[in-house]
Amino acid sequence: MEYSVKHFALALAAFYVTSKIFSSLLRSYKNRQFAKAHGCLPAPYAPSPYLGFGVWWQTIKAAKVSRHVEYIIARYENGITWQGKVAGSQSMATIDPENIKAILATSFKDFDLGPARRESFFPLLGDGIFTLDGAGWEHSRALLRPQFSREQVGDLESLEVHVQRLIDCIEKAGDVVDLQPLLFGLTLDSATEFLLGESVDSLLFTGEPAEIPGSFEDIKLKFGDAFNTSQQYVIFRTRMRSLRRFVNPKGFRDSNEICHKFIDHFVDLALHPEKKQKKVESQRQRYVFLDAIAQENKDPKYLRDQVLHVLLAGRDTTASLLGFTILLLAKHPKVLKKLREEIIDAFGTGKDGNGKAPTFATLKDVTYLRYVLNEVLRLYPPVPLNGRIANKNTVLPRGGGPDGLSPVFVPAGQRVDYSAKALHARKDLYGEDAMEFRPERWGEGRGKGWEFLPFNGGPRICLGQQYALTEASYTITRLLQMYDTIEPTETSLPHEIPFHTTLTMAPKEAKVKLHLAAN
């Protein structure tokens, strides 16, 4: 009997191995037939030492000194579209607008975010538009889309309060001020008011701890730092690939708990309006994102997840755009002068209350402001790196063969990366001065269609695009109504602005000198 069991086990193992080999050979045959039927030729192969583990390790090392974006972008020297290995897995990368269009739009259903994204993000964000595919994503997207209507995005009265607090902080800071943490405070305060109905008021924080540790007031004060800390762990989990499940230290868990408790407080109020403090009848009833989506779904965790996803987009992308804009204006006084003249012509100065606040409609008429923000987004897109996973055998329209014009086969399960930052630096698309800050190029027909992707494109295009652009336009306008000069400091003078990345990219600091306008 023992002899029979032994032989049966060996036979079963042999059958398993044989079936795996047969399945692999059959899959390879079908892949070759698919590629041939679509006229595909291979893309250039990038050096991938040690089965791509060398590339992976170099990326980890570069990330420790905030240089991984530059390292990854440098690999596009291998071609506009290329393939290789990363950590043992076959991968592909492209900065061809037609290929990116296929990934994000024309072949949208052939690509997913993939399970790795969800596993990395889930402990902080849960399920939402940045982690889900298929029907789950479609439901979240449909629920959130109406909340970013022009009527909601164009309500700038509450934003004015936060911008004036920002100006107060600048005035108290002295000769030199690091605007980046203040800009994160501004966007956090405005986003929490829009999303939750109550601002976290981080710009009013005096540095004193809450009287009762563990109270909601304590959690409220800690939320901003906790949100940053959690994101740093999330992006590290992403880089660790299949080892991500082992990245769950106490600091990550504690920060997630603070973030969740903060949002849960407002979710409870949205689900039980009777707990809210009654407002003065004369006070205008403001739109509150959470209250609106709570009308459609009563699940507390679902509501928390949706708010966290939108808060991530609403706070970080705008703070990134504002920080890079301030630094680039400081380094380019001619651009600053031209932009300020256009703003003053439209709205007057802000000194002594003479300037008028812009509206959603009048901001759109300041053409050069739009050029400036587009140029900042071109050089420093908030999300510089991105990618998708093929959920079936598919093709990219270009990149194969000696001339790079043949279709490229993408097998099911293969990741395809793309980089908005590398795309925006292509000299054949933006001119020989593509690496220079020159807003005037936007009056020359540059950046058409899929050549410009600061907010992605296709069905997953950023829902908060107009929200971010409106907030940035309004803030820059109000600052330049008050200040006529922005001087760089030694730390803001380097040609390439130092930045760090969590789930988005932002300046490490934005130290400048601002001078009040004489009139």
Side-chain angles (χ1 to χ4, degrees), residues 414-469:
Q414 178 166 308
R415 180 176 177 85
V416 183
D417 292 302
Y418 60 95
S419 167
K421 186 166 172 53
L423 170 68
H424 296 170
R426 284 182 53 176
K427 293 182 179 180
D428 57 330
L429 301 180
Y430 289 97
E432 288 300 314
D433 64 347
M435 299 306 296
E436 301 299 322
F437 178 67
R438 188 173 66 85
E440 285 74 14
R441 80 178 75 245
W442 293 94
E444 303 166 355
R446 299 287 187 179
K448 294 180 179 179
W450 292 87
E451 297 174 2
F452 183 56
L453 293 174
F455 296 101
N456 244 335
R460 282 189 179 268
I461 192 170
C462 177
L463 280 170
Q465 177 177 349
Q466 281 304 316
Y467 179 88
L469 289 173

Side-chain angles (χ1 to χ4, degrees), residues 84-158:
K85 285 187 177 292
V86 178
S89 299
Q90 191 72 16
S91 185
M92 186 177 292
T94 185
I95 50 172
D96 186 321
E98 286 300 312
N99 287 344
I100 298 175
K101 177 182 177 181
I103 295 167
L104 298 181
T106 54
S107 299
F108 174 76
K109 292 186 178 180
D110 294 354
F111 293 92
D112 290 332
L113 298 178
R117 166 82 76 92
R118 182 178 182 274
E119 290 173 10
S120 296
F121 287 29
F122 187 83
L124 170 63
L125 298 179
D127 286 326
I129 54 174
F130 295 139
T131 57
L132 291 175
D133 291 304
W137 166 77
E138 290 178 359
H139 178 73
S140 289
R141 180 85 178 188
L143 180 66
L144 301 182
R145 186 183 293 110
Q147 319 311 328
F148 287 93
S149 67
R150 173 171 175 167
E151 179 183 353
Q152 317 307 343
V153 172
D155 181 7
L156 300 176
E157 289 186 25
S158 59

Side-chain angles (χ1 to χ4, degrees), residues 276-288:
K276 294 183 179 181
Q277 294 182 351
K278 291 185 178 181
K279 297 181 179 180
V280 179
E281 291 186 6
S282 60
Q283 183 178 348
R284 185 172 74 88
Q285 295 296 308
R286 294 191 181 278
Y287 171 85
V288 177

Side-chain angles (χ1 to χ4, degrees), residues 223-517:
F223 173 74
D225 288 338
F227 201 42
N228 288 337
T229 299
S230 290
Q231 287 188 58
Q232 290 167 1
Y233 280 113
V234 166
I235 198 64
F236 182 65
R237 284 166 60 91
T238 302
R239 294 191 196 107
M240 293 302 292
R241 294 181 171 257
S242 59
L243 299 176
R244 70 182 67 86
R245 67 196 66 183
F246 301 109
V247 182
N248 190 33
K250 185 175 185 301
F252 184 40
R253 298 194 303 272
D254 289 348
S255 295
N256 290 342
E257 183 179 12
I258 290 171
C259 294
H260 294 167
K261 284 184 176 180
F262 176 74
I263 302 298
D264 287 345
H265 170 83
F266 294 99
V267 168
D268 183 60
L269 294 179
L271 294 175
H272 303 94
E274 68 277 4
K275 295 182 179 181
K276 294 183 179 181
Q277 294 182 351
K278 291 185 178 181
K279 297 181 179 180
V280 179
E281 291 186 6
S282 60
Q283 183 178 348
R284 185 172 74 88
Q285 295 296 308
R286 294 191 181 278
Y287 171 85
V288 177
F289 175 90
L290 178 56
D291 290 345
I293 62 173
Q295 300 299 314
E296 304 292 333
N297 193 306
K298 305 297 182 184
D299 178 15
K301 185 181 183 305
Y302 177 87
L303 294 175
R304 176 222 287 168
D305 292 351
Q306 305 315 305
V307 169
L308 281 169
H309 279 250
V310 179
L311 179 59
L312 170 65
R315 184 195 78 147
D316 291 37
T317 56
T318 313
S320 165
L321 173 55
L322 284 168
F324 283 119
T325 300
I326 291 294
L327 288 173
L328 286 167
L329 289 176
K331 292 168 63 175
H332 297 84
K334 290 182 180 179
V335 174
L336 172 60
K337 183 175 183 294
K338 182 176 179 179
L339 176 59
R340 187 170 189 272
E341 286 175 352
E342 187 170 324
I343 286 173
I344 298 307
D345 286 345
F347 307 113
T349 65
K351 184 68 174 173
D352 300 325
N354 295 326
K356 60 182 178 181
T359 65
F360 179 79
T362 56
L363 278 173
K364 290 184 174 294
D365 294 331
V366 187
T367 304
Y368 197 62
L369 175 58
R370 185 171 72 251
Y371 289 175
V372 167
L373 294 180
N374 278 354
E375 185 72 344
V376 175
L377 289 167
R378 184 183 71 83
L379 291 170
Y380 298 99
V383 182
L385 308 170
N386 217 321
R388 297 288 187 268
I389 304 287
N391 58 40
K392 63 177 72 171
N393 285 352
T394 186
V395 300
L396 297 181
R398 296 195 302 212
D403 59 3
L405 298 179
S406 297
V408 178
F409 172 60
V410 183
Q414 178 166 308
R415 180 176 177 85
V416 183
D417 292 302
Y418 60 95
S419 167
K421 186 166 172 53
L423 170 68
H424 296 170
R426 284 182 53 176
K427 293 182 179 180
D428 57 330
L429 301 180
Y430 289 97
E432 288 300 314
D433 64 347
M435 299 306 296
E436 301 299 322
F437 178 67
R438 188 173 66 85
E440 285 74 14
R441 80 178 75 245
W442 293 94
E444 303 166 355
R446 299 287 187 179
K448 294 180 179 179
W450 292 87
E451 297 174 2
F452 183 56
L453 293 174
F455 296 101
N456 244 335
R460 282 189 179 268
I461 192 170
C462 177
L463 280 170
Q465 177 177 349
Q466 281 304 316
Y467 179 88
L469 289 173
T470 301
E471 184 172 8
S473 298
Y474 187 91
T475 303
I476 293 298
T477 296
R478 295 304 265 167
L479 286 176
L480 294 190
Q481 285 180 288
M482 290 291 297
Y483 302 99
D484 60 3
T485 307
I486 305 175
E487 293 183 13
T489 61
E490 289 186 4
T491 58
S492 58
L493 278 175
H495 178 72
E496 181 68 21
I497 297 172
F499 57 84
H500 66 78
T501 54
T502 52
L503 298 179
T504 56
M505 176 174 70
K508 287 185 176 180
E509 58 181 30
K511 285 187 177 179
V512 292
K513 300 177 182 178
L514 295 98
H515 300 279
L516 282 169

